[in-house]
Amino acid sequence: MTAEKQYVVKGAAVLGGEPTDLLLRDGVIAEMGRGLSAVGAEVVDAAGLVALPGLVDLHTHLREPGREDAETVETGTLAAAMGGFTAVHAMANTDPVADTAGVVEQVWRLGREAGHCDVIPVGAVTVGLAGERLAELGAMADSAARVRVFSDDGKCVSDAVLMRRALEYVKAFDGVVAQHAQEPRLTEDAQMNEGELSGRLGLRGWPAVAEEAIIARDCLLAAHVGSRLHVCHVSTAGSVEIVRWAKAKGWDVTAEACPHHLLLTDELAATYDPIYKVNPPLRSAADVEALRAGLADGTIDVVATDHAPHPHEDKDCEWQTAAFGMIGLETALPIVQQTMVDTGLLDWAGVAQRMSAMPARIGRLTDHGRPLAAGEPAHVVLYDPAASYVVDPAETVSLSRNTPYAGRELPGRVVATFLRGRPTVLDGKPA
């Protein structure tokens, strides 16, 4: 048997602090300090680079099984590694839906075979995402995939009784229901954020209250049954206030914000370019500021990508008929740098908390989101915050090209990603 390769990372600024060497051996960080060396180890020059723990995404769409024309587990997890992620939660709205132990185990095994990052399947809350009866929550929890996060993402569990039952059920195995907060009757044929602009453009408005009403209801339900609730892709200032209120009550409620909601506004809909069509929609500048403030003060617990690949034909069409969603795994960290770090709202330790430690904690992952310390799993990202680049969709490793950042200059670059001490990305390229 060939011994596993060792790496000495030289002079990385751990969480933005003093330059430190890291020896990666046997899947763990074997040593940390200055002047480290090891016989036969490959040296990685990390001078000027920030070292972060491997990022964890709570909200990724890998599309396989069923829509391999948009993304596969292989291509999606490679995109994740290029973005600095060592674990992703794969949403359940595949075809077939991940609502049984068989399907979640299939996705889990595909992730292990690809090997670019760990894939943790999210189980559906209801059979077929139909919102009529609970899926096999217990069987998925007991499966080899050990599902702990359940979501009908893409659809809201709008039936209050069903949502209550789901929250009660997952308590048995310390699971969490991740709600896609969208009141269906208030968003029928909705296309963009409701406001003066939607009226002027002739696009059906998507009111903030459609999101906020569901979040308020679910916070009350979670408190009533004493269960864990996670709110997906929060997009409005009112939603931030409701989550802040629930946390102040001591209720077990967590929430995520997406990079695109931290940067882009509904003004982009004026282009009628469906690349900016996303669910929930891009909101106002005031909403963006509220999300940033909420992420900074911990009201919003994590950044999640909602990476949603679509083939060309599903986005290159009229706004009204285009699919909702945009890709985001490879650009998440640069956007967080631009909106949160470069603005002084977060330091790198704060980024590590919101993009690694907290999402791992919510997903009950014990092997990810760990500190960068001797003896800990060697999930490490090396990031150059001084770099910059212009986004070229043709350069993404995702199978789809629906990025809203084409032609936009973003700061930073992921230089290397290590999964259990094995590089999945080196010199900014797949290893």
Side-chain angles (χ1 to χ4, degrees):
M1 179 181 293
T2 304
E4 190 171 336
K5 199 168 184 177
Q6 306 173 65
Y7 291 87
V8 176
V9 177
K10 302 289 287 185
V14 176
L15 303 185
E18 293 299 313
T20 306
D21 301 345
L22 299 88
L23 173 60
L24 313 183
R25 184 172 60 203
D26 298 331
V28 300
I29 301 172
E31 294 182 56
M32 288 179 64
R34 297 299 301 271
L36 295 184
S37 63
V39 176
E42 181 171 331
V43 174
V44 178
D45 182 5
L49 306 183
V50 173
L52 299 171
L55 307 184
V56 177
D57 192 16
L58 265 177
H59 195 147
T60 300
H61 296 275
L62 294 177
R63 303 301 191 206
E64 189 176 7
R67 286 306 304 268
E68 290 83 354
D69 57 328
E71 194 78 284
T72 66
V73 173
E74 166 70 29
T75 59
T77 55
L78 183 57
M82 291 291 286
F85 291 89
T86 53
V88 298
H89 289 74
M91 279 297 173
N93 59 341
T94 51
D95 184 14
V97 171
D99 57 5
T100 66
V103 178
V104 296
E105 287 189 347
Q106 177 190 2
V107 173
W108 175 71
R109 290 198 172 92
L110 286 169
R112 288 169 66 92
E113 290 168 9
H116 303 302
C117 72
D118 288 342
V119 174
I120 298 93
V122 173
V125 177
T126 66
V127 175
L129 310 178
E132 296 175 350
R133 57 192 174 94
L134 291 182
E136 300 174 2
L137 306 183
M140 289 188 277
D142 292 338
S143 72
R146 291 187 52 77
V147 175
R148 290 296 179 272
V149 182
F150 296 86
S151 180
D152 276 2
D153 184 58
K155 295 183 178 179
C156 179
V157 182
S158 60
D159 185 313
V161 174
L162 207 56
M163 184 64 181
R164 173 183 175 166
R165 288 177 181 159
L167 288 164
E168 289 173 330
Y169 201 105
V170 301
K171 283 178 63 179
F173 40 81
D174 196 24
V176 62
V177 178
Q179 176 68 291
H180 174 114
Q182 177 189 349
E183 209 293 318
R185 291 277 289 145
L186 289 172
T187 54
E188 288 178 357
D189 200 31
Q191 296 291 313
M192 65 168 291
N193 184 42
E194 182 178 276
E196 180 273 332
L197 183 60
S198 64
R200 182 153 46 90
L201 297 177
L203 295 173
R204 181 74 62 87
W206 189 306
V209 70
E211 176 176 307
E212 295 158 3
I214 293 293
I215 295 175
R217 182 204 74 177
D218 288 351
C219 287
L220 292 167
L221 285 174
H224 183 65
V225 304
S227 190
R228 290 203 293 142
L229 169 72
H230 178 72
V231 184
C232 296
H233 40 48
V234 168
S235 71
T236 77
S239 297
V240 176
E241 280 304 307
I242 294 166
V243 173
R244 186 174 286 127
W245 163 75
K247 285 177 179 284
K249 292 280 190 180
W251 299 342
D252 203 348
V253 175
T254 56
E256 69 189 34
C258 299
H260 47 269
H261 288 127
L262 294 171
L263 178 64
L264 308 177
T265 71
D266 59 350
E267 292 290 331
L268 290 164
T271 65
Y272 286 106
D273 185 343
I275 202 72
Y276 302 114
K277 183 177 177 180
V278 66
N279 180 352
L282 301 177
R283 302 290 189 179
S284 69
D287 291 311
V288 168
E289 290 304 312
L291 285 177
R292 291 183 184 184
L295 185 63
D297 70 18
T299 302
I300 304 296
D301 301 85
V302 304
V303 175
T305 69
D306 195 7
H307 175 83
H310 291 292
H312 179 71
E313 59 270 24
D314 288 351
K315 292 297 273 187
D316 189 15
C317 53
E318 291 183 355
W319 180 288
Q320 197 84 18
T321 57
F324 289 94
M326 46 187 62
I327 60 174
L329 284 167
E330 294 167 84
T331 50
L333 192 50
I335 290 171
V336 169
Q337 179 188 342
Q338 180 174 344
T339 58
M340 302 300 296
V341 179
D342 291 351
T343 55
L345 292 170
L346 279 183
D347 58 16
W348 289 110
V351 172
Q353 180 73 6
R354 288 154 181 80
M355 296 188 74
S356 181
M358 275 306 294
R361 188 179 306 169
I362 293 167
R364 295 298 191 250
L365 307 184
T366 57
D367 188 45
H368 288 273
R370 304 291 306 169
L372 293 181
E376 294 286 355
H379 304 309
V380 183
V381 183
L382 301 178
Y383 183 73
D384 183 358
S388 64
Y389 71 109
V390 176
V391 177
D392 180 355
E395 294 181 353
T396 179
V397 297
S398 171
L399 209 53
S400 293
R401 300 287 183 267
N402 54 306
T403 172
Y405 311 114
R408 184 184 287 257
E409 183 173 357
L410 295 179
R413 181 176 75 104
V414 172
V415 176
T417 306
F418 291 88
L419 175 67
R420 283 181 279 278
R422 176 178 59 83
T424 55
V425 174
L426 268 182
D427 295 327
K429 301 173 184 175

